[in-house]
Amino acid sequence: MGDNPASQVYVRNKIKACADTSIQSFEYRLPAQTTEAELLALIDRLNRDDSVDGILVQLPVPRHISEARIIAAIAPEKDADGFHPINVGNLVVGRPGFLPCTPYGVMKMIDSTGYDLTGKRAVVVGRSNIVGKPQALLLLRRNATVTVAHSRTENLAEVTREADVLIAAVGRAKLIKADMIKPGALVIDVGMNRDENGKLCGDVDTAAAMEVAGWISPVPGGVGPMTIAMLLTNTVEAVERRLA
């Protein structure tokens, strides 16, 4: 809905990823003044359309729309973003369900290193419903000892320096400096910001952190593409569950 520049980029990338993998996508561009009732009616129609296996509403939505109401309106079995309360509840209690795409992608990135999380100290900086909270739960599933830090955390650098695995998802450009990272740590940068020169950057001061970290993900080109890959994975899983 509307003309949010970041949303336009994200949607365009998702459409391209679908085309590249032979998944048919349907785009519905709605003006910012679209009413909540009109958006809910569209979601209801897609819920009942057997040719549609995955649904997402690109966030953020305009202020006059209730984000929570929109997310809850999507059929849980078509919830490609993994945001529906039922799927979130399944994550909390360890039952099968669709996982939020960004945390899911982060776990795949960690897996690609061969890193064993069992017993390791993991710190997640950020407590959003989209990344921070579900990320912590997924790390717990892998037997990591997890700390969630946030804007009210005292002595943040002391907390992050204890992390074997550090995931930055707070949305503040270059917040994590090299001296906040434990030598050899695995660092995943979820942030997407603009620096003082208008250049895309993450929550980690990457150039400096590379001298300390054992692994580090780039921005752009790291978590973003993985988020889209997991969106497609959730959609394929939705088909498999429907046909099972």
Side-chain angles (χ1 to χ4, degrees):
M1 295 181 66
D3 300 311
N4 183 298
S7 291
Q8 304 286 351
V9 173
Y10 297 149
V11 170
R12 186 162 63 245
N13 289 341
K14 290 169 184 176
I15 291 172
K16 181 180 184 301
C18 285
D20 289 345
T21 52
S22 300
I23 293 176
Q24 186 176 9
S25 65
F26 305 90
E27 181 185 13
Y28 298 88
R29 287 180 176 263
L30 305 178
Q33 63 268 28
T34 300
T35 67
E36 186 176 280
E38 290 171 328
L39 179 55
L40 288 170
L42 172 59
I43 292 170
D44 180 63
R45 178 159 62 84
L46 297 175
N47 282 341
R48 292 182 284 107
D49 187 341
D50 291 338
S51 70
V52 174
D53 290 288
I55 301 170
L56 72 88
V57 175
Q58 183 64 47
L59 303 176
V61 290
R63 286 188 172 186
H64 67 280
I65 305 289
S66 166
E67 183 177 297
R69 195 171 294 127
I70 295 306
I71 291 171
I74 296 171
E77 66 273 14
K78 296 187 178 187
D79 174 31
D81 265 334
F83 293 161
H84 192 283
I86 287 178
N87 286 317
V88 173
N90 286 334
L91 171 59
V92 171
V93 299
R95 295 180 60 187
F98 296 116
L99 300 176
C101 299
T102 297
Y104 193 3
V106 168
M107 298 307 293
K108 291 292 185 181
M109 293 175 77
I110 294 173
D111 289 345
S112 75
T113 70
Y115 194 91
D116 183 3
L117 287 166
T118 300
K120 297 298 191 297
R121 180 72 181 272
V123 174
V124 180
V125 185
R127 53 179 171 179
S128 72
N129 291 333
I130 293 175
V131 180
K133 292 176 184 176
Q135 190 70 72
L137 290 166
L138 288 174
L139 291 163
L140 282 171
R141 277 190 181 184
R142 299 291 190 84
N143 301 313
T145 300
V146 182
T147 298
V148 178
H150 46 78
S151 60
R152 302 292 180 88
T153 298
E154 295 182 354
N155 303 316
L156 178 62
E158 293 182 11
V159 175
T160 59
R161 275 195 293 268
E162 295 180 357
D164 301 302
V165 177
L166 178 60
I167 299 172
V170 72
R172 290 179 57 187
K174 301 182 181 180
L175 172 69
I176 306 298
K177 309 298 184 185
D179 62 2
M180 299 172 66
I181 298 171
K182 180 179 181 179
L186 191 158
V187 180
I188 304 287
D189 191 350
V190 182
M192 184 66 75
N193 315 288
R194 296 278 178 182
D195 65 15
E196 61 276 6
N197 300 314
K199 186 178 179 181
L200 278 175
C201 68
D203 289 352
V204 179
D205 186 354
T206 306
M210 286 176 67
E211 302 298 320
V212 183
W215 294 267
I216 190 166
S217 67
V219 176
V223 172
M226 289 302 301
T227 296
I228 294 175
M230 296 304 102
L231 171 70
L232 304 187
T233 298
N234 279 344
T235 304
V236 171
E237 289 180 359
V239 178
E240 293 172 341
R241 291 177 188 182
R242 177 171 60 81
L243 298 178

